[in-house]
Amino acid sequence: DQQVKQNSPSLSVQEGRISILNCDYTNSMFDYFLWYKKYPAEGPTFLISISSIKDKNEDGRFTVFLNKSAKHLSLHIVPSQPGDSAVYFCAAVTQGGSEKLVFGKGTKLTVNP
Amino acid sequence: GAGVSQTPSNKVTEKGKYVELRCDPISGHTALYWYRQSLGQGPEFLIYFQGTGAADDSGLPNDRFFAVRPEGSVSTLKIQRTERGDSAVYLCASSLTGVGNQPQHFGDGTRLSIL
């Protein structure tokens, strides 16, 4: 049973436009959420995170929004750049335990020049 | 470099053989994690070390899988009697103390192929 779901396997956007990647979760015990970016043959790289007590966190071109009542989060990238082309994973964690990350299946973002 | 280092980067072996995968975490990080990523999936948790001890091994699929971290730094994931279904990318991650709001930093993984 997938506790973290990324329902879009792929997304294609034009350079300079906004990319919106979505993630849904089912476990209400999750209290911290992270986005990772992965290039082929490399490990996931941490991008941005958000605590469940917040609804928005911004870091440069990247903003993560959290809607706890809907159990939904999204990652906004604006403006999108060709170098942003990668697979993006949403992950969730319940703090106070082993802090293991529960990942979605990922969304492959392609930013076209 | 100062990142998480995993060796070998690729490992091809025959079904039934024994394999060891090594992870060298970021210096000073007490928390170390192993994940497994199959094609088209996100990484799946295997085991978590806090220092030398395995604090959570609930993700290990069966008793063919074992991991150690004897001195609290380098960790080795060991797989006995390998099966074709063990083929995957094995990822190691570390974080400073294991508190949830500290991001885990991943190595580039070991791609294991069982023939």
Side-chain angles (χ1 to χ4, degrees), chain B residues 12-85:
Chain B
V12 181
T13 192
E14 292 179 345
K15 179 183 168 207
K17 298 292 187 182
Y18 168 82
V19 296
E20 289 190 352
L21 312 179
R22 175 188 167 109
C23 172
D24 202 339
I26 293 172
S27 178
H29 280 196
T30 63
L32 185 147
Y33 302 81
W34 284 97
Y35 294 84
R36 178 167 74 170
Q37 185 175 16
S38 301
L39 200 62
Q41 305 293 317
E44 294 180 322
F45 170 77
L46 294 176
I47 186 169
Y48 158 58
F49 285 91
Q50 181 57 252
T52 61
D56 182 353
D57 64 358
S58 62
L60 294 178
N62 52 60
D63 61 6
R64 296 186 297 104
F65 288 74
F66 189 69
V68 295
R69 195 186 184 198
E71 296 178 358
S73 55
V74 171
S75 176
T76 305
L77 178 66
K78 308 180 181 194
I79 311 174
Q80 298 178 322
R81 305 182 306 279
T82 51
E83 299 178 356
R84 293 201 177 90

Side-chain angles (χ1 to χ4, degrees), chain A residues 93-111:
Chain A
V93 62
T94 302
Q95 297 185 73
S98 67
E99 319 293 346
K100 61 188 178 190
L101 296 174
V102 179
F103 284 88
K105 291 186 177 183
T107 297
K108 183 176 182 179
L109 173 66
T110 302
V111 180

Side-chain angles (χ1 to χ4, degrees), chain A residues 24-68:
Chain A
D24 297 292
Y25 62 96
T26 57
N27 188 341
S28 57
M29 298 300 291
F30 290 144
D31 52 11
Y32 201 74
F33 304 89
L34 307 91
W35 285 93
Y36 280 82
K37 172 180 175 179
K38 187 180 183 304
Y39 294 118
E42 295 184 9
T45 302
F46 170 71
L47 201 54
I48 192 169
S49 61
I50 188 167
S51 166
S52 61
I53 63 173
K54 297 188 174 181
D55 56 16
K56 177 183 174 181
N57 188 27
E58 190 172 351
D59 183 1
R61 297 186 297 114
F62 303 91
T63 302
V64 55
F65 296 92
L66 175 63
N67 182 334
K68 275 189 69 177

